[in-house]
Amino acid sequence: MKIAVLVILALIVAFGALLTLQNLKTPTHLGVKEGKLAPMPSKPNAVSSQTDQTDKQVEALAFKDSAEQTLAAVQAALTAMGGNEIQTQQDDYLYTVFTTPTMHYHDDVEIYLDTDAQLVHFRSQSRAGHSDMGVNRKRYEAFRALYLK
């Protein structure tokens, strides 16, 4: 009985350590390459406006009157959402990290302003775990509502 309890405790500690390591490691595959954000992972913990996978797909948003107004609206939406810290900001790309309040998990959000198509593309992915319990889709919906205000 004692051995079984020790094995279970060891597995819990190992799983916790794995999640912590995943959570702290900044992804290296992010960014815009040839007008596209990173492809979707095999895990169900991400959404993007640039995927054909219907279960992970969200709608790209139309530009405001200008690229400058669009970027300002993106920034205002992210500020209003709170819980995130911008890591990279360029004229057509923004990368921010959201931190969940309770467990302090990190989720990577990228926003690409496609000036040719006049569309705002959105990608959100959890770093740790397998499922996100719908958190990334809810984040997109909150962003969308604030951006469209």
Side-chain angles (χ1 to χ4, degrees):
M1 183 68 164
K2 288 181 183 178
I3 293 176
V5 170
L6 289 175
V7 169
I8 291 170
L9 285 175
L11 289 172
I12 290 170
V13 169
F15 182 71
L18 177 64
L19 282 178
T20 299
L21 288 174
Q22 286 177 332
N23 189 46
L24 295 175
K25 186 177 177 185
T26 302
T28 58
H29 66 281
L30 301 179
V32 179
K33 295 173 182 81
E34 298 179 16
K36 297 285 184 186
L37 295 169
M40 290 285 89
S42 59
K43 299 186 277 184
N45 66 353
V47 297
S48 176
S49 62
Q50 290 186 319
T51 184
D52 294 330
Q53 298 175 38
T54 54
D55 59 325
K56 296 178 182 181
Q57 194 173 52
V58 294
E59 178 186 8
L61 303 170
F63 260 42
K64 302 290 184 181
D65 290 335
S66 69
E68 293 78 18
Q69 288 175 323
T70 301
L71 184 58
V74 165
Q75 292 167 325
L78 291 172
T79 298
M81 291 174 75
N84 68 87
E85 184 177 331
I86 295 174
Q87 305 294 309
T88 303
Q89 183 174 333
Q90 300 164 349
D91 290 341
D92 65 349
Y93 175 78
L94 196 141
Y95 165 53
T96 190
V97 176
F98 278 81
T99 303
T100 62
T102 304
M103 298 299 291
H104 301 286
Y105 289 130
H106 294 142
D107 296 343
D108 300 293
V109 173
E110 298 179 280
I111 298 171
Y112 168 53
L113 279 58
D114 183 345
T115 53
D116 292 338
Q118 298 283 289
L119 291 173
V120 176
H121 288 289
F122 182 95
R123 182 184 189 283
S124 182
Q125 179 178 352
S126 300
R127 286 187 191 172
H130 182 75
S131 174
D132 68 349
M133 307 294 281
V135 168
N136 288 297
R137 185 167 298 280
K138 289 174 188 166
R139 180 177 295 121
Y140 164 78
E141 293 298 334
F143 172 80
R144 181 181 183 274
L146 290 165
Y147 174 78
L148 294 175
K149 263 187 173 179

